[in-house]
């Protein structure tokens, strides 16, 4: 029952952050969470691989243990299903904003374009793992908006070399990242309404301004938010 004066509940909003390793996306997630909370939104910040106790265990395996491409793809989607069921779908049902550091576009970019795994099989797994009864019919859950931090692979490699000890993906050669970057470009071309391309070569404040402008255009942040990060 709603009272006549109740504020209508906000619809859930699912935003993903994507880009090759070193593109700088992670540093913007907390800033966006803070900006959205300042607008009165409830925000869940999460990541993939991971996001639940089970999926975090799978993340440790994925980032550290050698395995064949099919095993890798199955583990990625197993973790994603658990994450959707336990965290993402309940949050969206409550009307929260979900900010997720990587999601299925990463699987198509890394396992598909990067490793050369059969993308038709990835699509089948996507349909199995992301079936969303809450959406009705045989719909699958996709992000509402994907912020794609686009950075040339050579720039990303230079940033990573200066930053930290690489994991199993980060230690791949530059041509792997060139394929991953192309994979993201193809995904973006296939879903232009969902993807926002951010020029990640710019310095942090300028990237934030692009991001905040994209959110403001869609009515999720006030127009002035770009100036305050
Ligand atoms: P990443 O966001 O880079 O974590 P961190 O910045 O904390 O190291 O994600 C870890 C790695 O997982 C990254 O190299 C990309 C890879 N990955 C896949 O290969 N497939 C996927 O589906 C996802 C979500 C990530």
């Amino acid at each position: 029952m709603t009272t006549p004066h109740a504020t209508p509940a906000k619809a859930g909003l699912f935003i993903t952050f994507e880009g090759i390793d070193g593109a700088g996306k992670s540093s913007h997630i907390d800033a966006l969470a803070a900006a959205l909370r300042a607008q009165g939104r409830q925000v869940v910040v999460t990541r993939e691989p991971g996001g639940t106790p089970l999926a975090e265990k799978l993340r440790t395996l994925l980032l550290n243990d050698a395995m064949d491409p099919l095993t890798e793809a199955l583990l990625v989607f197993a973790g994603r299903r658990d994450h959707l069921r336990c965290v993402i779908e309940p949050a969206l049902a409550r009307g929260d904003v979900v900010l997720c550091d990587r999601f299925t576009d990463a699987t198509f970019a890394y396992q598909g374009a990067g490793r050369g795994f059969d993308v038709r099989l990835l699509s089948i797994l996507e349909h199995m793992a992301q079936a969303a009864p809450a959406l009705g019919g045989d719909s699958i859950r996709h992000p509402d908006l994907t912020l794609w931090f686009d950075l040339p692979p050579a720039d990303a490699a230079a940033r990573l070399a200066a930053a930290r000890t690489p994991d199993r993906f980060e230690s791949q050669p530059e041509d792997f990242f060139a394929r991953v970057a192309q994979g993201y470009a193809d995904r973006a071309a296939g879903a232009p309404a969902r993807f926002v391309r951010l020029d990640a070569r710019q310095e942090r404040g300028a990237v934030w301004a692009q991001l905040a402008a994209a959110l403001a255009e869609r009515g999720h942040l006030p127009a002035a938010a770009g100036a305050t990060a």
Side-chain angles (χ1 to χ4, degrees):
M1 282 276 281
T2 53
T3 61
H5 303 295
T7 316
K10 286 259 186 193
L13 179 64
F14 183 21
I15 301 178
T16 56
F17 289 66
E18 296 283 2
I20 60 176
D21 294 276
K25 63 191 164 43
S26 302
S27 66
H28 290 282
I29 295 180
D30 289 341
L32 180 56
L36 290 164
R37 286 182 183 125
Q39 299 306 306
R41 297 294 308 242
Q42 297 290 320
V43 181
V44 173
V45 176
T46 187
R47 69 172 181 182
E48 291 211 355
T52 67
L54 173 67
E56 289 291 331
K57 288 183 193 163
L58 297 179
R59 176 188 177 94
T60 303
L61 298 175
L62 279 161
L63 298 192
N64 297 295
D65 292 27
M67 61 188 76
D68 85 293
L70 176 57
T71 306
E72 187 172 295
L74 291 170
L75 290 185
V76 163
F77 276 110
R80 182 159 300 137
R81 178 163 174 79
D82 194 56
H83 192 204
L84 276 164
R85 291 188 68 239
C86 299
V87 174
I88 297 173
E89 292 294 345
L92 295 175
R94 290 192 301 268
D96 294 358
V97 182
V98 176
L99 302 183
C100 191
D101 189 349
R102 299 191 186 281
F103 195 64
T104 305
D105 297 307
T107 314
F108 281 87
Y110 281 78
Q111 279 67 48
R115 296 246 194 261
F117 192 74
D118 185 348
V119 293
R120 286 167 311 170
L121 190 44
L122 293 181
S123 294
I124 292 169
L125 295 174
E126 179 186 28
H127 278 77
M128 291 172 73
Q130 292 167 226
L135 298 178
D138 54 5
S139 300
I140 65 167
R141 175 65 71 185
H142 291 297
D144 299 303
L145 179 64
T146 296
L147 300 169
W148 168 37
F149 291 71
D150 187 19
L151 186 70
D155 297 33
R159 286 189 193 176
L160 282 178
R164 57 184 173 188
T165 313
D167 65 29
R168 206 164 66 84
F169 292 98
E170 290 165 350
S171 57
Q172 293 292 314
E174 200 174 308
D175 63 333
F176 174 82
F177 286 105
R179 292 196 299 278
V180 172
Q182 187 58 48
Y184 275 123
D186 293 344
R187 291 287 286 178
R194 173 167 68 85
F195 268 82
V196 170
R197 178 188 172 274
L198 305 173
D199 180 357
R201 287 170 306 182
Q202 298 183 7
E203 52 88 23
R204 191 185 176 286
V207 176
W208 170 259
Q210 297 175 56
L211 189 163
L215 272 284
E217 255 170 51
R218 288 160 181 77
H220 304 309
L221 283 181
T228 58

